[in-house]
Amino acid sequence: MIINFNLLNILYSKNIIEKLPKIITRKIHKIFKIYFVPTKKEVLPNSNYPVFFDYTYQKKLINDFKINQNLNSFMTYPNLLNLLHTLFKKDKEFNFLDFGRENIDFYLKFHSEFPKGNYFIFNQKSILDKLKLLKIENNFTNLNIIYDEKKLTEKQYDFINLGSVIQYVKNYENLISELISVSRKYIFFSGTHFYDSVNNKKNIIVKQVNILPITFYLYFFDKKIFYSNFLKNGFKINFEKKNLTDNINYKNFKNNFFSSINYIDILFEKN
């Protein structure tokens, strides 16, 4: 079957497909497996990323953890705790910043395995408000919630985790500069889209369409330019690998602009 990806990109970008009945949009995705389509946008919308935080679900995660002591929510890098164990001793005190985390059970698991670790979390205010309620209800005294992005720079962090989140941050370059300034050692990006371009365009904005009727926008990054932010500031690449939590189809992006696109996990380490 010959697939006209250009036509599909147009139909998605002009909001035509998402106006169809949900059963049809799901069938289209099942057949063509399109996750993202290119756009001509230059900046992300101000209110872009939808909040799916379910307070009842978070309480269930807490109860489930009390029973099985396991992580029960989805993670874009399921081996994060194993990675931390290769970098930090269990009885070591260190600062861990979780930028964009939503589910509470990682905090619980983190403290069960690193009792002297200091856990900090930053996210959208609406999510943090509910996390604060959970903190009060359950006496999570060592759950450190950071409400104001400006206060991120008040501490130094040994490990900064950004799980599939940097691509949704409108002013991501400013954020990266801030995180570099407060990083003692490691900055980790998981589930992030990088391309090798032929014209050194630092990013493009795409529309996510695999969960219609919900849509939002995000960045794909030029790999060389994105990495240079860290390499020129005294970091090296500890490891880089393909993210295996999803097999994303990029076939509708085939053109002269890209030589490749990949869904990547990358750990930067300060020299």
Side-chain angles (χ1 to χ4, degrees):
M1 180 175 63
I2 298 176
I3 302 174
N4 189 330
F5 284 117
N6 286 332
L7 176 60
L8 283 170
N9 286 342
I10 292 171
L11 294 175
Y12 273 113
S13 63
K14 291 185 177 296
N15 305 328
I16 294 174
I17 291 179
E18 62 199 70
K19 292 177 181 178
L20 299 173
K22 186 181 294 186
I23 188 172
I24 296 178
T25 62
R26 287 177 176 173
K27 184 173 292 188
I28 291 173
H29 175 69
K30 185 176 182 180
I31 294 172
F32 300 107
K33 296 180 172 60
I34 291 181
Y35 284 68
F36 307 96
V37 295
T39 75
K40 295 182 179 180
K41 290 182 178 292
E42 295 294 328
V43 294
L44 292 182
N46 288 325
S47 299
N48 177 51
Y49 192 78
V51 175
F52 299 118
F53 193 90
D54 185 332
Y55 189 75
T56 302
Y57 175 63
Q58 300 304 313
K59 294 178 72 171
K60 182 179 185 302
L61 289 177
I62 294 172
N63 291 331
D64 289 346
F65 185 81
K66 290 177 181 177
I67 296 171
N68 56 36
Q69 297 293 300
N70 289 325
L71 285 168
N72 296 286
S73 63
F74 172 80
M75 291 182 61
T76 55
Y77 189 75
N79 294 321
L80 180 56
L81 282 165
N82 291 336
L83 172 61
L84 292 176
H85 277 295
T86 67
L87 304 175
F88 304 100
K89 294 181 179 179
K90 184 172 183 177
D91 60 352
K92 179 179 176 60
E93 181 179 356
F94 65 98
N95 289 347
F96 178 92
L97 173 61
D98 221 348
F99 190 101
R101 172 77 58 188
E102 296 180 5
N103 293 315
I104 192 70
D105 57 339
F106 182 82
Y107 151 77
L108 298 172
K109 188 67 173 176
F110 174 88
H111 269 296
S112 72
E113 301 201 13
F114 296 98
K116 293 184 179 179
N118 301 309
Y119 181 91
F120 299 85
I121 187 168
F122 176 84
N123 209 317
Q124 298 181 64
K125 183 180 182 300
S126 60
I127 291 175
L128 297 179
D129 285 342
K130 293 174 182 176
L131 286 174
K132 185 177 179 180
L133 287 176
L134 292 171
K135 174 179 178 175
I136 294 171
E137 288 177 356
N138 297 276
N139 196 29
F140 294 152
T141 56
N142 51 10
L143 174 59
N144 301 293
I145 299 173
I146 302 175
Y147 269 94
D148 189 344
E149 186 175 326
K150 295 179 181 178
K151 292 188 176 182
L152 285 173
T153 57
E154 292 182 356
K155 291 188 177 294
Q156 296 283 310
Y157 306 96
D158 301 281
F159 194 103
I160 299 173
N161 179 58
L162 297 100
S164 196
V165 67
I166 191 67
Q167 56 262 46
Y168 301 103
V169 178
K170 185 174 184 179
N171 298 314
Y172 72 91
E173 290 176 297
N174 291 338
L175 174 62
I176 286 175
S177 295
E178 291 175 350
L179 296 181
I180 286 174
S181 72
V182 297
S183 171
R184 288 192 185 124
K185 195 63 176 176
Y186 302 102
I187 302 179
F188 183 50
F189 298 90
S190 62
T192 307
H193 309 271
F194 293 104
Y195 58 82
D196 295 306
S197 71
V198 296
N199 63 1
N200 294 320
K201 183 175 174 61
K202 65 182 180 181
N203 62 59
I204 65 166
I205 293 177
V206 304
K207 179 180 179 181
Q208 186 162 348
V209 297
N210 63 308
I211 54 173
L212 291 177
I214 300 169
T215 62
F216 41 92
Y217 297 87
L218 61 146
Y219 290 113
F220 282 11
F221 302 108
D222 179 291
K223 181 179 174 180
K224 182 178 179 181
I225 295 174
F226 189 97
Y227 284 22
S228 70
N229 292 313
F230 299 90
L231 301 180
K232 70 184 180 184
N233 281 285
F235 287 80
K236 65 181 180 180
I237 297 173
N238 181 294
F239 76 79
E240 173 195 295
K241 60 182 68 174
K242 181 180 178 181
N243 183 281
L244 299 177
T245 60
D246 204 346
N247 186 25
I248 296 175
N249 172 26
Y250 297 109
K251 290 182 179 179
N252 58 311
F253 282 87
K254 282 189 175 180
N255 55 38
N256 294 327
F257 182 80
F258 303 106
S259 58
S260 67
I261 312 176
N262 290 288
Y263 196 46
I264 287 176
D265 303 324
I266 173 76
L267 177 63
F268 293 102
E269 177 183 355
K270 183 173 284 187
N271 292 317

